[in-house]
Amino acid sequence: MKMTSTYTQLIKNLEYLKMKQMIVHLDEVVDFITKNNLSFVEGLTKLTSHEIDYKEVNMIRSMVKVGAFPHHKELREFDFSFQPTINQQQILDFETLRFLENQENIVFLGSSGVGKTHLAVSIGIAAAKKRVSTYFIKCHDLIQQLKKSKA
């Protein structure tokens, strides 16, 4: 009869539960707990935080991918000096997603090359990162899809 250590059983349990990050960080956290004389609950909190952080990053990545953005540009990359007529504070407020809570829409109008797509993508990515379901589509494409659907 083969005896397995509790450590080995813990690894097996974590594998079964698909807690890959907890396995990766297990030794590091056990050493940290021992070195800093932490409680069992503090240790579990630290260990589970690794798993949660990893899953959160993956969820954000997935939400951004589902949004079908044409590129990954965030608001911090936008050059407001290039387009001084844009109200920077208003755009930064859009990134807080307050407009969603107020059930408001945003429409960017202007000629080509002024940054409408960059701003729309940036706000969409900010929303996706907060787990808001997003989907990027250009107005022309949306109208075409609606016409096709109606026919």
Side-chain angles (χ1 to χ4, degrees):
M1 175 160 100
K2 185 178 177 186
M3 299 283 293
T4 59
S5 70
T6 53
Y7 178 83
T8 303
Q9 186 60 52
L10 175 58
I11 296 289
K12 286 181 181 179
N13 290 354
L14 292 173
E15 286 171 348
Y16 181 80
L17 294 170
K18 296 184 171 121
M19 301 290 178
K20 294 177 183 174
Q21 292 306 303
M22 289 176 67
I23 295 167
V24 167
H25 295 279
L26 181 60
D27 289 338
E28 163 196 332
V29 171
V30 169
D31 291 344
F32 186 79
I33 292 167
T34 305
K35 182 179 177 182
N36 294 289
N37 199 24
L38 297 180
S39 72
F40 177 72
V41 172
E42 290 170 317
L44 278 178
T45 301
K46 185 162 182 59
L47 189 59
T48 55
S49 291
H50 287 293
E51 195 70 36
I52 290 168
D53 292 347
Y54 179 78
K55 288 184 179 187
E56 192 65 25
V57 166
N58 282 341
M59 177 56 73
I60 289 169
R61 188 178 301 122
S62 175
M63 293 290 289
V64 169
K65 186 176 181 180
V66 168
F69 299 105
H71 44 72
H72 188 105
K73 290 193 176 181
E74 298 196 37
L75 206 49
R76 61 180 147 64
E77 301 170 56
F78 189 79
D79 182 7
F80 286 97
S81 65
F82 166 73
Q83 210 45 261
T85 57
I86 293 175
N87 182 335
Q88 183 176 356
Q89 290 308 312
Q90 184 180 35
I91 299 299
L92 293 173
D93 183 51
F94 291 152
E95 193 177 37
T96 69
L97 309 180
R98 186 171 63 93
F99 72 97
L100 291 177
E101 293 171 21
N102 294 336
Q103 298 180 344
E104 298 171 342
N105 296 312
I106 300 172
V107 177
F108 292 119
L109 300 172
S111 55
S112 293
V114 296
K116 297 180 305 290
T117 301
H118 185 149
L119 293 174
V121 166
S122 298
I123 293 165
I125 287 174
K129 285 182 170 185
K130 301 266 189 198
R131 293 184 172 215
V132 174
S133 180
T134 59
Y135 185 73
F136 180 89
I137 188 168
K138 292 190 175 205
C139 187
H140 174 76
D141 295 338
L142 177 61
I143 291 169
Q144 294 301 99
Q145 286 184 17
L146 291 171
K147 283 182 179 178
K148 186 178 177 181
S149 178
K150 186 177 180 186

